Amino acid sequence: MSLLRNSSIGNKLLIINIASMSVAMFILVLSIITIMFFSSRNSLLEDVRNQVHILGESLAPAMLFNDMETAKALFTALPPYIEYVTVLDKQGEEFISYSQKTDTVNVPAASAAKNYFPKVYIDYPIVVNDRAVGLIQASASLDKIYDQLAKFLLFTLFSLLLSSALGILMLRHLQTYLINPIVGLTKSMRLISNTDNYSLRFHLDSKDELGELASGFNTMLNKIQSHQVKLDAELVRRREAEDRLQQLAFYDNVTHLPNRHFFKERLESVVTSTLRYNTSCCVILIDLDDFKNVNDTLGHHVGDELLKAVAERLSKELRGSDALCRIGGDEFAIILDHTDEIMQVEYIADRMIRLLSLPFMLQGQEIFIGASIGASFCPADASDIPTLLRNADNAMYSAKNRGKNHFLIYKPDMDHKSMKRFTLENALRRALELEEIFLTYQPFMQIDTNKIVGFEVLVRWNNPELGVVQPADFIPIAEETGLIIPIGEYVLYEACLQTKHWRKDFGFEGTISVNLSGRQLLKPDIVERIVKIVQSVELPFNLLNLELTESILMDHSKETFDKLEALNNLGFSISIDDFGTGYSSMSYLKRYPINTLKIDRSFISDLPDDANDVAISKAIIALGQSLSMKIVAEGVETKEQLNFLEACGCNFAQGFFYSKPMSAEQAENFILTRQSHSV
C-alpha cells in the first residue's frame, strides 16, 4: 500500500489495472476450470452409466447360464477410462471382475470428498423380467480430466503472462481500452455463472491477448453448451425410455389394456380401500371359449385381432371407475369398485356374454366365440387377494364345465370341485407315461345274423390313488388341456395293433371303431397323423371306423369337410356317435361323407314302451335308410329292444345284451366263442 501512495498516478493506474486484470483473469479461469471439471465429470459419469447399462444388458444371459467366457469377452469392449468392474450375483458373491490395471483395487473412498474427486463409482443392478439377478460395481478414473485441466491451466497462465507483459508496455496509453474488455469479460463470466445460460458470448473485436482470451472463453462456452445439449438430449431419451418401460410394464401390447401387473396393483388398492371403508367390490374373470381353435385354424395374427376386438367390445360397456385388464392369453379380468349388488354383476356378465356371442368379422369371415365368466365378492367371499382370485377362478371353471356362455358367482362347494379337477389334471398328465390308460372293447353285432361286425374301442384310466376314472370325468379335462392329442393317438395305435393281431391269429375280419375328438380334428395334419399310425401297423384303411360327435360337425365346417372327405376318399369310414342328442341337422348329413348313424342309448332304453322313443328311433332309422347309411343302435339291453329294432329295419346293435366293454383277452374269447357257434 505504501508503494501505491508514493507512486505516480500512472504507476498507480498501471499497478491497479494489472492487479485488477490479474484478479479478474484468476476468477475467470477458476470459474471455467470449475465448470469444465464438473461438466467433464458429469459427462464421464454418464458415459460410464451407459457403458455399465449396456454391459448389464449383455451380462444378464451370461449370468443366468453361468457363461464365464462370454462375460470375459464382453469386458474387452469396455473403454480404457473404466479402471475396474466387479460383477456380483444375487447373493452378493463375486461372479467375475475386470481391471485395466493389475494393481487396481476397488476400495471405497474414506469420505464423500475423496470419493468424489479422484474417481467415479457406479453401482448398477442386473435385472431380468423385473427380477434382480446381480449387481455391477464399476469405477473410472478422473486422471484424463485433470490432465486436460492442467494443460488448460498452463495455457491460460501462459496467456496471462504474455498479456501482462504487453499490457505493461501499452497500458499507459491504452488503459481505457484494456480495462473495458476485462470488465466486460468479467461481467459475462458472472452472468453465465449465475444464470447457467451457456448460450451467452463475449464479443471483442480485437486480436490481442484479450481477444484470444475472449475467444478462448467463448470456445469453452461452446464446449460447455455442446455438453449441455447432449445432456438434455440424453435426459429426453431417458424420459422416453422410462415412458416406454412404463407402457411395457403396465399395459398389454396387443389389446393396449392394462396387464396382469397393473391388475394386481389396482386390485390391491381397491381391496385395501374396500376393507378400510367397509364397502364391497367384485372381481370378474372372463375366459374366451374356443379361442385356441381360432389360433390353431386361422393363425395367431387373427387371434391377436380377435383379442383387440374383444377388448373394444368389453371396454365400451364398463363404467369409468371399472378396470378391464388382460391377464393372460385369452383371459380378461374386471374390477368393479363399490359394487355389492349381485343383480348388477349378473347384468354386466349377461351383457358381456351377449356381446361376445355376436360374430366378429375378421379378414372377411365371421368368427364365433363364447365366454365363461366367474365372479367373487370382497369381503363377502374373501378378504385377501389370493383367495378372492382363486374363488373367481373356481367360479369361472365351474361355468366353463357347464358349456359355452355361462356365468357363475362363487359358492363354497366350488372349492371341492376345483380341487378334484386339479388333482385329475395333474394325474392325467402322467397317465400315459405311467401306462395307466388302457382300452376296452365292446362288440357291435349284425342283428339278423347275430355275427360280430366289429368292436368299438372305449378308453379307460386306472389310477393307483383315484381308482378307475370314468371318461366323463377325464375326457373333458384332456380336451381342454390338449392331452387328448397324445391320448387319442395312443388309443388309435393300440386299437389298430390289436385288430391286426385278431386278424392274424383268429381270422377276425370286423372293423374297429375309434372316437375322434374335436381337438384332434382341428390339427392341420390330422389326416397325415391317422394315415401314418394305421400304416405303421399295416392295417387296411377300410377296417378303421372314426366316430365323431354332432357338435364337431357344427364348427369350422369348411376345414372339417376337407379333412373328412380326405379320410373317406382314403377308405376310412365315418360315423356319427350319439345321434339325436346334439345339433342334429339334415344339412350336415347331406354335406359330410358320413357312412353310419349311431342312435343314442337315451332313445333305446325305454323301447318299445315309450311312444316318444319309438317315434324318434323309427325316424332316425328311416332317415339313415333313405341316405343309404348303416344304423347302429347303442345301449341295447333286452330282447324286446332288439326285436323292435330289427322290425324297424335297424342293421346293427351294441350294448349289454351282447356284452359289456371287455379287455382284449375277453374280447378274444368272445370272438372264439362266436366263431365256434357259427360253425
Side-chain angles (χ1 to χ4, degrees):
M1 295 299 295
S2 60
L3 179 62
L4 288 177
R5 285 195 298 266
N6 298 325
S7 298
S8 63
I9 295 176
N11 290 334
K12 289 180 180 179
L13 291 175
L14 179 61
I15 295 173
I16 291 172
N17 286 331
I18 292 175
S20 300
M21 182 178 65
S22 299
V23 171
M25 290 300 101
F26 174 79
I27 295 174
L28 173 63
V29 172
L30 182 61
S31 299
I32 293 175
I33 289 176
T34 303
I35 294 171
M36 285 180 61
F37 173 79
F38 287 107
S39 177
S40 299
R41 188 185 189 280
N42 289 338
S43 297
L44 177 62
L45 181 62
E46 191 62 32
D47 289 341
V48 173
R49 284 175 177 163
N50 290 335
Q51 291 292 334
V52 172
H53 171 75
I54 294 171
L55 180 62
E57 294 292 329
S58 303
L59 274 174
M63 292 193 67
L64 290 176
F65 296 98
N66 199 25
D67 188 354
M68 299 294 292
E69 294 300 324
T70 300
K72 291 179 180 179
L74 292 174
F75 286 133
T76 61
L78 292 175
Y81 55 79
I82 296 182
E83 290 186 341
Y84 187 87
V85 177
T86 299
V87 181
L88 305 179
D89 58 24
K90 61 183 179 180
Q91 284 79 27
E93 300 293 332
E94 180 176 313
F95 174 73
I96 192 172
S97 64
Y98 162 82
S99 175
Q100 288 280 5
K101 300 178 182 179
T102 57
D103 58 344
T104 302
V105 180
N106 186 22
V107 180
S111 65
K114 290 183 179 180
N115 186 37
Y116 189 88
F117 290 101
K119 295 182 183 295
V120 170
Y121 293 90
I122 295 294
D123 288 344
Y124 185 86
I126 302 176
V127 178
V128 176
N129 295 330
D130 295 333
R131 181 171 63 88
V133 299
L135 179 70
I136 298 177
Q137 295 181 337
S139 67
S141 174
L142 300 180
D143 292 342
K144 186 176 180 181
I145 295 176
Y146 289 128
D147 289 341
Q148 292 175 346
L149 292 177
K151 292 177 181 179
F152 172 76
L153 184 59
L154 290 175
F155 173 78
T156 304
L157 290 175
F158 175 78
S159 299
L160 289 176
L161 290 174
L162 184 59
S163 300
S164 299
L166 294 174
I168 293 173
L169 297 175
M170 301 180 62
L171 195 57
R172 290 184 180 275
H173 306 286
L174 301 173
Q175 287 182 354
T176 304
Y177 297 101
L178 291 174
I179 294 173
N180 288 343
I182 294 174
V183 173
L185 186 59
T186 305
K187 288 182 178 179
S188 297
M189 180 272 298
R190 290 174 179 172
L191 179 61
I192 294 170
S193 180
N194 292 332
T195 62
D196 291 333
N197 183 4
Y198 301 110
S199 64
L200 298 176
R201 296 293 182 269
F202 178 71
H203 300 286
L204 180 62
D205 295 331
S206 174
K207 296 184 179 180
D208 59 7
E209 289 78 359
L210 287 177
E212 292 180 8
L213 184 59
S215 177
F217 179 71
N218 290 333
T219 300
M220 293 299 104
L221 290 176
N222 287 335
K223 292 182 179 180
I224 294 172
Q225 186 179 14
S226 176
H227 286 303
Q228 186 69 32
V229 170
K230 292 179 180 179
L231 180 59
D232 291 341
E234 181 63 26
L235 290 175
V236 170
R237 286 194 295 271
R238 283 183 172 274
R239 282 194 292 268
E240 292 175 350
E242 289 175 358
D243 292 340
R244 288 194 297 271
L245 290 175
Q246 181 80 358
Q247 182 71 21
L248 292 174
F250 290 98
Y251 289 88
D252 173 49
N253 59 353
V254 174
T255 63
H256 304 297
L257 290 176
N259 60 14
R260 177 181 289 273
H261 186 59
F262 178 96
F263 169 75
K264 289 183 177 179
E265 290 196 359
R266 176 64 182 273
L267 183 59
E268 183 177 353
S269 175
V270 170
V271 169
T272 300
S273 176
T274 296
L275 298 177
R276 177 180 299 172
Y277 297 106
N278 196 27
T279 58
S280 179
C281 66
C282 179
V283 174
I284 299 177
L285 297 184
I286 304 172
D287 187 80
L288 302 183
D289 298 323
D290 296 331
F291 177 76
K292 190 177 189 307
N293 296 344
V294 175
N295 271 345
D296 292 341
T297 56
L298 301 179
H300 289 277
H301 63 289
V302 178
D304 288 346
E305 291 185 19
L306 179 59
L307 289 173
K308 292 179 184 178
V310 169
E312 290 177 1
R313 284 192 187 179
L314 297 180
S315 298
K316 294 177 181 178
E317 297 300 318
L318 297 176
R319 303 172 301 180
S321 60
D322 300 331
L324 172 65
C325 307
R326 182 191 175 200
I327 60 175
D330 61 347
E331 191 171 352
F332 295 80
I334 301 174
I335 303 174
L336 301 179
D337 197 2
H338 301 294
T339 300
D340 57 1
E341 293 290 337
I342 294 179
M343 293 181 61
Q344 181 182 5
V345 175
E346 289 177 342
Y347 171 80
I348 293 174
D350 290 341
R351 180 63 179 165
M352 298 296 179
I353 288 175
R354 286 196 298 271
L355 284 174
L356 297 180
S357 298
L358 299 175
F360 291 86
M361 183 61 66
L362 299 175
Q363 297 193 352
Q365 57 182 321
E366 287 187 336
I367 296 177
F368 291 87
I369 60 171
S372 299
I373 303 178
S376 179
F377 286 87
C378 174
D381 298 325
S383 57
D384 62 287
I385 292 177
T387 305
L388 183 66
L389 291 176
R390 186 174 66 249
N391 291 345
D393 198 56
N394 289 343
M396 182 191 71
Y397 274 105
S398 296
K400 184 177 286 290
N401 290 336
R402 295 194 178 190
K404 299 179 182 178
N405 295 327
H406 274 83
F407 162 68
L408 289 175
I409 294 176
Y410 168 77
K411 293 181 180 179
D413 63 343
M414 293 178 180
D415 289 334
H416 173 72
K417 296 179 181 178
S418 176
M419 182 56 66
K420 179 182 178 181
R421 184 188 184 283
F422 177 77
T423 303
L424 286 175
E425 181 177 337
N426 283 345
L428 185 59
R429 291 187 181 277
R430 300 192 62 192
L432 277 178
E433 177 186 345
L434 299 177
E435 299 181 350
E436 296 174 358
I437 300 295
F438 66 96
L439 306 184
T440 60
Y441 303 86
Q442 187 173 37
F444 51 94
M445 314 289 291
Q446 187 167 342
I447 295 178
D448 55 353
T449 64
N450 203 32
K451 292 183 178 180
I452 305 174
V453 179
F455 284 91
E456 179 183 0
V457 177
L458 303 172
V459 63
R460 296 291 186 266
W461 175 24
N462 187 14
N463 181 270
E465 297 180 0
L466 303 173
V468 177
V469 184
Q470 295 302 314
D473 292 329
F474 73 85
I475 291 297
I477 297 176
E479 288 271 4
E480 183 180 334
T481 59
L483 294 172
I484 195 66
I485 303 298
I487 291 176
E489 292 184 352
Y490 168 80
V491 170
L492 179 60
Y493 175 79
E494 291 294 326
C496 291
L497 193 64
Q498 186 64 59
T499 305
K500 178 186 176 182
H501 167 67
W502 290 339
R503 280 170 55 82
K504 179 181 178 181
D505 293 353
F506 306 110
F508 176 69
E509 294 297 330
T511 61
I512 193 76
S513 294
V514 177
N515 288 282
L516 188 65
S517 76
R519 191 69 175 269
Q520 288 178 276
L521 196 58
L522 286 174
K523 300 291 290 184
D525 60 343
I526 184 60
V527 176
E528 292 78 6
R529 286 171 177 257
I530 293 174
V531 170
K532 183 178 180 180
I533 291 173
V534 179
Q535 285 180 336
S536 69
V537 297
E538 300 178 347
L539 186 72
F541 290 171
N542 66 311
L543 296 183
L544 178 61
N545 179 55
L546 300 171
E547 295 192 5
L548 310 172
T549 60
E550 295 178 80
S551 59
I552 295 176
L553 303 180
M554 302 303 294
D555 298 327
H556 313 293
S557 58
K558 179 63 172 66
E559 294 81 1
T560 301
F561 172 79
D562 292 340
K563 295 169 185 175
L564 293 182
E565 186 178 49
L567 290 169
N568 187 255
N569 291 337
L570 289 170
F572 298 101
S573 299
I574 308 297
S575 298
I576 300 301
D577 196 15
D578 302 331
F579 183 78
T581 61
Y583 304 91
S584 302
S585 170
M586 302 301 108
S587 62
Y588 75 68
L589 291 179
K590 175 183 177 182
R591 175 178 174 81
Y592 291 106
I594 300 170
N595 310 107
T596 304
L597 292 182
K598 300 187 72 173
I599 307 174
D600 185 71
R601 65 183 68 250
S602 62
F603 303 126
I604 304 299
S605 59
D606 292 328
L607 290 179
D609 301 323
D610 189 286
N612 291 329
D613 287 344
V614 168
I616 293 172
S617 299
K618 286 183 176 181
I620 295 175
I621 293 170
L623 175 64
Q625 290 174 339
S626 65
L627 294 175
S628 301
M629 295 180 181
K630 296 179 182 179
I631 306 298
V632 179
E634 297 181 295
V636 176
E637 298 183 0
T638 66
K639 182 65 174 177
E640 291 77 14
Q641 293 171 347
L642 192 66
N643 292 337
F644 172 82
L645 292 168
E646 184 177 12
C648 293
C650 182
N651 311 107
F652 309 98
Q654 174 184 352
F656 288 0
F657 179 78
Y658 295 108
S659 173
K660 294 181 179 180
M662 302 174 286
S663 66
E665 293 77 9
Q666 292 171 331
E668 291 176 2
N669 294 331
F670 188 84
I671 293 173
L672 291 173
T673 301
R674 290 290 169 172
Q675 287 178 343
S676 64
H677 288 169
S678 61
V679 174

